[in-house]
Amino acid sequence: MKGTNLGEFEELVLLTVGILNEEAYSIAISNEISKITRRNASFAVVHSALNRLEEKGYVDSKLGGATKERGGRSKRLFTISSAGKKALLRTKEQRDELWSMIPKLIFKNI
């Protein structure tokens, strides 16, 4: 297993898997990240992140049914594993702690 820390993009992908729940597959994840962040999240980059997350044990995958729209090909559906949920919570706690330490004056003139 690779390192257990979540990279920024891996965190986005993992959160999006949670948002999409039963419909989390590479293209849907890519589209959702692009919509929310307004930045291009290519299918290849999302697919690579999903593979890393699966190697870390943060997502599980299974093949869904074949669809006519996909030319008879199956979707690879992803769900967050228990370890993935713990990693997300740990990352959120770390970010919340860091945010709480920033003096409010820093954002005064924004």
Side-chain angles (χ1 to χ4, degrees), residues 1-107:
M1 178 178 3
K2 286 188 166 187
T4 56
N5 288 328
L6 281 177
E8 186 257 348
F9 192 72
E10 289 176 339
E11 182 183 3
L12 285 176
V13 170
L14 198 53
L15 287 166
T16 306
V17 169
I19 291 166
L20 295 172
N21 199 14
E22 300 288 322
E23 292 298 320
Y25 59 98
S26 296
I27 293 173
I29 295 166
S30 174
N31 291 340
E32 190 71 13
I33 290 173
S34 294
K35 184 177 87 177
I36 292 171
T37 65
R38 297 181 186 160
R39 73 184 203 196
N40 182 33
S42 75
F43 166 77
V45 172
V46 168
H47 188 73
S48 178
L50 286 166
N51 284 335
R52 286 193 309 275
L53 290 168
E54 194 161 33
E55 286 176 13
K56 291 178 179 181
Y58 293 164
V59 293
D60 297 314
S61 69
K62 66 179 180 183
L63 287 179
T67 61
K68 197 175 189 176
E69 297 82 26
R70 295 177 46 84
R73 292 178 297 146
S74 300
K75 294 177 185 173
R76 188 169 163 211
L77 300 167
F78 293 88
T79 56
I80 302 176
S81 69
S82 180
K85 292 172 188 173
K86 289 177 185 173
L88 275 177
L89 288 172
R90 186 174 53 248
T91 300
K92 183 181 182 313
E93 288 169 2
Q94 290 169 346
R95 289 179 187 262
D96 288 346
E97 183 176 350
L98 289 168
W99 274 99
S100 73
M101 295 166 57
I102 294 178
K104 302 232 183 288
L105 290 174
I106 287 179
F107 300 108

